[in-house]
Amino acid sequence: TVSTQSTWGRRSETSRDKRNMEVRQQQCREAFDLFANKNGCLPINAIPTVLRALDLNPTEEDVKKFIASLQVDPNKGVDFQTFQSNAAMVMIRGFDKKDAVIDAFRVFDKDNTGEISVLELKHIMTTMGEKLTEIEFSALTAMCGDSIKYEEFAELLLKPYPQLGSAEDLE
C-alpha cells in the first residue's frame, strides 16, 4: 500500500508539473504574440514588458543579461523559439534574487555581523511591505534562536515549496 500511495503521489506530481508547464508555455506564447511585430519577432525593447507579463519581475540588470543571452541582432528582434527557450530557463531558475534579499536584510544589520535579531525581523515582517501575521512569522522563525543569520535565512526564503505526493512525504 505504501509504494502504491508513493507512486500515485509521484504520478500526480508529474501530471501536475506537465499541466503547469503547458500553462506556462501558453502564457509565454500569448505574451510574445501581444508584442511581436509583423515578422513574428519580438522587438528587443518589448522584452522587459513581456518578462513582467510572465510574472518574472526582472531588474534592469536581469533584463540586460537576458537580452545578452539571446545572441540576436537587436535590429531584427527575437523569434518565438529563441525567446521561449531562454524564458523557460528563467522560469525554472528565476532571476538571482538572493543578493537582493540579503541586501534588504543588511540594511537592518547595524553592527555588520551578518545577523539581525528575531525581534527586529518580527517588527520588519509584520509591519512593512507585504505583512506577515503573527502566526506566519512564528512558523517562519520557529527554529531560530534570538538572532538570524540572514544569508542562510535568505536561502531558506527563496527555496521553492516542496511538492507533496503522499502522506508519507509529510513524515
Side-chain angles (χ1 to χ4, degrees), residues 61-169:
E61 187 63 30
D62 292 334
V63 171
K64 288 177 186 175
K65 289 177 184 175
F66 182 84
I67 291 171
S69 74
L70 297 174
Q71 300 178 343
V72 295
D73 181 351
N75 298 319
K76 292 183 181 178
V78 60
D79 64 89
F80 178 71
Q81 190 66 35
T82 304
F83 178 82
Q84 183 185 31
S85 62
N86 282 272
M89 290 306 298
V90 172
M91 288 178 194
I92 292 167
R93 288 180 291 152
F95 290 111
D96 187 17
K97 304 290 184 222
K98 181 180 174 188
D99 289 339
V101 172
I102 291 170
D103 288 344
F105 281 125
R106 193 171 282 130
V107 169
F108 299 99
D109 181 10
K110 296 174 188 95
D111 300 325
N112 202 24
T113 61
E115 297 182 358
I116 58 174
S117 76
V118 171
L119 290 175
E120 187 169 15
L121 181 63
K122 180 178 182 180
H123 173 73
I124 294 164
M125 297 188 85
T126 59
T127 63
M128 298 178 181
E130 195 171 319
K131 300 172 185 87
L132 295 180
T133 65
E134 294 281 332
I135 293 170
E136 291 169 329
F137 181 79
S138 294
L140 187 62
T141 59
M143 305 193 67
C144 301
D146 292 337
S147 66
I148 293 174
K149 294 180 180 177
Y150 53 82
E151 288 192 20
E152 294 171 10
F153 193 66
E155 287 181 29
L156 174 71
L157 288 175
L158 296 173
K159 281 186 179 179
Y161 290 109
Q163 296 286 335
L164 301 177
S166 67
E168 289 83 24
D169 293 340

Side-chain angles (χ1 to χ4, degrees), residues 3 12 19 28 33 41 46-47 86 88 91 94 102 119 124 159:
S3 63
S12 68
R19 263 192 320 266
C28 189
D33 288 345
C41 289
I47 288 175
N86 282 272
M91 288 178 194
I102 291 170
L119 290 175
I124 294 164
K159 281 186 179 179

